[in-house]
Amino acid sequence: MSEQTIALVTGANKGIGYEIAAGLGALGWSVGVGARDEQRRDDAVAKLRAAGVDAFGVLLDVTDDASVTAAAALIEERAGRLDVLVNNAGIAGAWPDPPTAVTPDGLRAVVETNVIGVVRVVNTMLPLLRRSAHPRIVNQSSHVGSLALQTAPGTGFGGPSGAYSPSKTFLNAVTIQYAKELGGTIKINNACPGYIGTDLNGFQGTGTPADGAEIAVRLATLPDDGPTGGLFDEAGPVSW
């Protein structure tokens, strides 16, 4: 593209989201740092700018219609279009979360952020994405959302999960439907960052946030003949 590529990363004030923003910014892109916490957002933007990234803050709570609408208006005013959307914001809810311990309110909160929030942001940003010559959407999923991996003998993904893992399975299903509707006009894929040490898992993961950002950055920069409607980690396609 002859013009600077414009990206928005939700939940980008820390962890994997921050590293995704840094990775895209290192390509010379202008990157919106979406976050609901003002101080953390401002700190992240300042840190990225100090590293040479063209970063800008976007007040964004994916669970709030008005917040997402305002974020789209900001990007409209700033750039007139959006080239890449990375839906990274997510919550784990209570952990561990065996199904017998999950409350309806707890499940609802996780799905509201991890699934409905993605739908809210995608649908609101679609008019801006449709103005891009090479639009891409990347949704942050997880290996624990793969039914094939969850049911394969010998695979260990921790104990039973009644909210977080099912929310990622739900997100996978939603992404497939977006891909069916959007066809090749907007590429949409899900990323599995791996077991990364972040506050989502109490920093128990074995990889770094920079490691976890790599697959999302790769999917955000897919060529025009790249895949759509898939689930991927650093090794390649992951079974649904």
Side-chain angles (χ1 to χ4, degrees):
M1 295 170 58
S2 59
E3 297 179 291
Q4 188 179 31
T5 301
I6 310 298
L8 172 64
V9 183
T10 70
N13 62 294
K14 59 182 178 178
I16 297 174
Y18 175 86
E19 294 298 339
I20 294 171
L24 298 179
L27 301 174
W29 294 12
S30 181
V31 182
V33 176
R36 59 186 177 182
D37 185 289
E38 181 177 2
Q39 187 61 57
R40 289 179 178 176
R41 184 179 65 251
D42 290 348
D43 289 347
V45 169
K47 185 178 177 182
L48 288 166
R49 288 179 177 170
V53 174
D54 181 11
F56 61 97
V58 181
L59 174 61
L60 183 56
D61 179 350
V62 303
T63 67
D64 182 78
D65 288 340
S67 175
V68 177
T69 298
L74 185 152
I75 294 170
E76 166 82 53
E77 181 179 359
R78 181 182 180 90
R81 73 177 196 285
L82 181 63
D83 300 301
V84 172
L85 170 62
V86 181
N87 289 299
N88 170 77
I91 63 172
W95 194 265
D97 65 335
T100 54
V102 171
T103 66
D105 285 344
L107 176 60
R108 189 176 295 112
V110 172
V111 171
E112 179 64 47
T113 297
N114 295 1
V115 184
I116 298 173
V118 171
V119 171
R120 178 179 288 112
V121 174
V122 169
N123 289 354
T124 304
M125 299 296 170
L126 268 177
L128 294 171
L129 286 161
R130 288 193 167 110
R131 297 176 192 168
S132 171
H134 309 276
R136 306 284 184 265
I137 300 172
V138 181
N139 296 329
Q140 197 74 284
S141 186
S142 171
H143 290 100
V144 301
S146 164
L147 294 177
L149 293 179
Q150 284 281 4
T151 56
T155 56
F157 287 103
S161 170
Y164 180 75
S165 294
S167 78
K168 294 303 183 179
T169 305
F170 192 175
L171 178 61
N172 290 346
V174 167
T175 297
I176 290 173
Q177 300 308 313
Y178 270 119
K180 289 171 65 176
E181 180 180 0
L182 298 174
T185 61
I186 299 176
K187 293 189 182 298
I188 181 169
N189 291 288
N190 282 12
C192 294
Y195 191 37
I196 305 301
T198 69
D199 57 2
L200 193 76
N201 56 34
F203 299 95
Q204 297 178 40
T206 55
T208 68
D211 295 332
E214 290 180 4
I215 183 58
V217 171
R218 183 186 304 175
L219 294 173
T221 57
L222 283 174
D224 288 343
D225 61 353
T228 190
L231 178 65
F232 299 90
D233 64 12
E234 272 301 290
V238 176
S239 299
W240 294 114

